[in-house]
Amino acid sequence: MTIYNLGSINADLVYRVPHLPGPGETLAAKGFTRGLGGKGANMSVAAARAGARCVHIGAVGADGGWAVERLTEYGVDTRQIAMSDEATGHAIIYVDDAAENSIVIHPGANAALSKASLIAALSEAQEGDLFLTQNETTLQAEGARLAKSKGLRVAYAAAPFDAEAVKAVLPMLDLLVLNEVEAQQLEEATGQSVSDLPVQEIVVTLGSKGCRWLKTEIDSTQDYPAFKVTPVDTTGAGDTFTGYLVAGLDRGMPMEQAIRLASKAGALMVTRLGAADVIPDLKDVQDAAF
Ligand code: RIB
């Protein structure tokens, strides 16, 4: 089947710094790279590298041809990426020696996708396909609603976290992926425990502690350990996890198998500096000796 991913496309400007800068501090970077990123683009690349057919729905500006070319090169179907009058989105990313990061994004074209483009992009979608989105574009709820009405399974990664954005898509979701902090924020915002949310499958990532799968209908919770690695850069690791997870499910894997594959891909990703350009392919993940 096909994954339709409504998601952001960013130029990631990555500065390697000795420590994350504090307020009013000026720091000299030890290194600089420019690469492809955006939570959406990262998830599309991860899904494609995991062997799924992934159609990316999004927008870039006139300066974004390189990003579309790269996505195509990485195996993503880019025919539904619109050209916008806005500049391509970008992210300023600091990565310190402890592999911690801090990220500022400028949405640009990611916030300029038209509803007509979204409708056109989903016109070929079929029952049983999967719709994925995150919170770095507009039209998430519209996309989720349209996808649901066409019989697609709907998955949402609640990042960057915004309680209102999650609440807007919640009624349409089959799968929600979020981290521990986001889960806590969502519990505060809804007054409900995550396990009581009206979503059948919820995966909470727990960083170095692994992840938790909640199957809410039957009140079951299963924990999975993380693979042990020495982190270099955690940027895009969560996106890699989600892309691999939905690709595994789309390819018919049971949730447990998809989670193990996604956890391994996410672990390998934190050993690499960068985002979409360095997302491991399926062979790298299968061969990883941990
Ligand atoms: O999740 C990592 C991503 O967040 C980066 O690639 C950056 O573009 C921001 O969207």
Side-chain angles (χ1 to χ4, degrees):
M1 304 304 287
T2 300
I3 297 169
Y4 289 84
N5 180 18
L6 165 64
S8 56
I9 300 168
N10 288 340
D12 279 2
L13 310 178
V14 184
Y15 299 85
R16 219 64 243 180
V17 289
H19 58 267
L20 301 182
E25 184 177 6
T26 301
L27 261 184
K30 302 194 289 180
F32 170 73
T33 53
R34 181 180 182 273
L36 177 64
K39 293 184 195 307
N42 297 341
M43 288 181 202
S44 282
V45 172
R49 289 200 161 155
R53 173 166 189 261
C54 183
V55 175
H56 191 94
I57 307 171
V60 294
D63 57 341
W66 66 274
V68 178
E69 274 168 31
R70 245 181 241 194
L71 280 165
T72 308
E73 191 188 314
Y74 298 154
V76 176
D77 183 334
T78 55
R79 288 172 301 155
Q80 301 300 338
I81 297 177
M83 262 304 164
S84 164
D85 291 340
E86 301 288 329
T88 303
H90 74 265
I92 306 283
I93 304 180
Y94 301 129
V95 181
D96 75 7
D97 290 343
E100 284 298 329
N101 66 25
S102 82
I103 303 178
V104 174
I105 53 173
H106 176 71
N110 294 316
L113 186 73
S114 70
K115 202 166 173 187
S117 301
L118 173 69
I119 292 169
L122 283 174
S123 64
E124 284 176 13
Q126 312 255 328
E127 193 172 342
D129 286 341
L130 197 147
F131 177 79
L132 169 66
T133 190
Q134 331 72 29
N135 189 30
E136 280 185 351
T137 63
T138 48
L139 299 175
Q140 296 144 27
E142 288 85 346
R145 209 169 293 120
L146 181 57
K148 195 78 191 164
S149 73
K150 285 173 160 274
L152 276 68
R153 288 176 291 163
V154 178
Y156 183 73
F161 185 80
D162 178 90
E164 293 311 312
V166 188
K167 284 197 222 166
V169 292
L170 217 44
M172 281 77 79
L173 296 188
D174 297 291
L175 170 66
L176 172 64
V177 183
L178 69 182
N179 68 28
E180 211 172 1
V181 176
E182 291 157 355
Q184 211 174 346
Q185 289 173 309
L186 190 56
E187 290 188 342
E188 280 160 23
T190 58
Q192 262 181 315
S193 153
V194 166
S195 57
D196 291 331
L197 292 174
V199 181
Q200 274 188 12
E201 317 255 22
I202 301 176
V203 176
V204 182
T205 57
L206 307 168
S208 60
K209 290 182 276 149
C211 71
R212 178 165 298 157
W213 169 36
L214 297 101
K215 209 165 164 27
T216 56
E217 263 185 346
I218 56 164
D219 213 10
S220 120
T221 300
Q222 182 79 42
D223 282 351
Y224 299 87
F227 293 91
K228 299 262 174 288
V229 287
T230 305
V232 170
D233 176 12
T234 58
T235 311
D239 308 334
T240 301
F241 176 93
T242 303
Y244 262 82
L245 180 72
V246 295
L249 296 174
D250 180 69
R251 291 174 53 212
M253 286 180 194
M255 181 61 98
E256 298 212 351
Q257 194 184 345
I259 284 180
R260 284 186 213 284
L261 182 71
S263 302
K264 210 169 171 194
L268 191 53
M269 183 62 181
V270 302
T271 66
R272 301 175 173 194
L273 180 64
D277 303 301
V278 298
I279 290 173
D281 64 22
L282 193 54
K283 182 154 191 332
D284 284 351
V285 175
Q286 282 164 344
D287 291 351
F290 51 75

